[in-house]
Amino acid sequence: MYNFEFKQPKTISEALTALKSDEAQALAGGQTLIPTMKQRLASPSSIVSLSEIPEMKGICKNDDGSISIGGGTTHADVANNSNIFPGLVTLAENIGDAAVRNRGTIGGSLANNDPAACYPAAALSAGATIVTNAREISADDFFQGMFETALDEGEIILSVRFPVPFLSSYQKFIQPASRFAMVGVFLSNFDNGIRVAVTGASEEGVYRWVEAEGALKDNFSESALNDLLIEPKGIIGDIHASKEYRAHLIKVMTKRAVKSAS
Amino acid sequence: MPDVKMIVNGKKVSGFVECRTLLVEFIRNDLQLTGTHVGCDTSQCGACAIHVDGKLVKACTMLALEANSCEVSTIEGQANEDGSLNFIQQAFKDHHGLQCGFCTPGMVMATADLLKTNSKPTELEIRDHLEGNICRCTGYHNIVKAILAASGQDTSLIAAE
């Protein structure tokens, strides 16, 4: 990888100042960015590590019952926290492998918005709020296509606030080599509605399957999904799985999520 | 070049590194601790697995500067004080948990990490924890068997010898 300047600020304000320099890139857990830099697909002139900022780590329960997870909190810490709801625990404990989960962070995953990453599905399904240094962004507005988010240059995710669904499930069909989702479905059931988010499948990245949400609202059972059709158009097709196969998996994984949450 | 300091296997070490120097490069090239292997260099194989501040990480996917002021354990620090194999290493030897041995340092470090929090892991828990460690020789059966033995459990249900 090409060389760069390295800064490791201890506070958010120092990090924001460091990120103002030209071509500065924030480094979270590095489990995507470091391999990307090795391949020279990214070559920032300055790296600002966010891993030594205590204010960005940790999990707490808010007065309204929601949960806030610091942007720098690792997948392992989310998986092992008793405040986290079941679907999110399953999700965090099945990202990558044990070593990756000790470094990778929720903020890094959401900011990268890999079309096959797990966390975007949880954030979108649960209707999370992404809290940055500048503003609060609803998950519905945050994800803007493959590797694209609403974040501006130099803007970082300080925390993510999750409303807690009374039922939740994450079902992931693992791509066995990368351990990313071939297709992953996150289902959240709230008093005021059901939200279904699909990752790994669309060329536009994570999205809500609103037809399934409507069908499940009337009849929360696997059979409610039987008549729904998913067109392969716009679905990712590659050497691992064709468009048709992934389209098929969306319904299968959603049914599994319904069964698991029931 | 910036300087980096850490404690590796109980000893204070320091050196000057480029910002882009990976932790595994610092450990192998600067400290000459070549037991930590580089198998794939793409974060997949786990041959470079070590512990940083008590947590299992892939040393090829972390910058040396990110480990500044940290406590690092590598395979070289695993043997007993008299130099004999520790209970995990001995179990790998006894149960033929390695053939070429290239993946073994990472396997031993991942096992040590598992047994720290789960003293009697099931076969499924063992296989799950070794998800990030690839072995191209053994087919994993004897590695699982070695870990069951290292944790004092019955190995008779593991088929392969």
Side-chain angles (χ1 to χ4, degrees), chain A residues 91 94 114-119 121 169-176 178-186 196-203 205-207 209 230 234-238 240-257:
Chain A
L91 179 147
N94 286 294
D114 188 300
C118 298
Y119 266 124
S169 176
Y170 181 60
Q171 296 293 319
K172 169 179 171 183
F173 193 97
I174 290 182
Q175 204 280 72
S178 72
R179 304 178 200 100
F180 274 87
M182 189 97 88
V183 168
V185 172
F186 202 108
V196 176
V198 181
T199 188
S202 167
E203 290 171 351
V206 68
Y207 71 99
W209 187 16
I230 300 169
I235 300 289
I236 298 169
D238 57 23
H240 306 298
S242 65
K243 289 170 184 281
E244 291 75 13
Y245 185 64
R246 275 196 176 82
H248 174 73
L249 277 181
I250 295 169
K251 193 189 283 188
V252 173
M253 302 318 282
T254 307
K255 284 187 175 184
R256 286 186 191 174

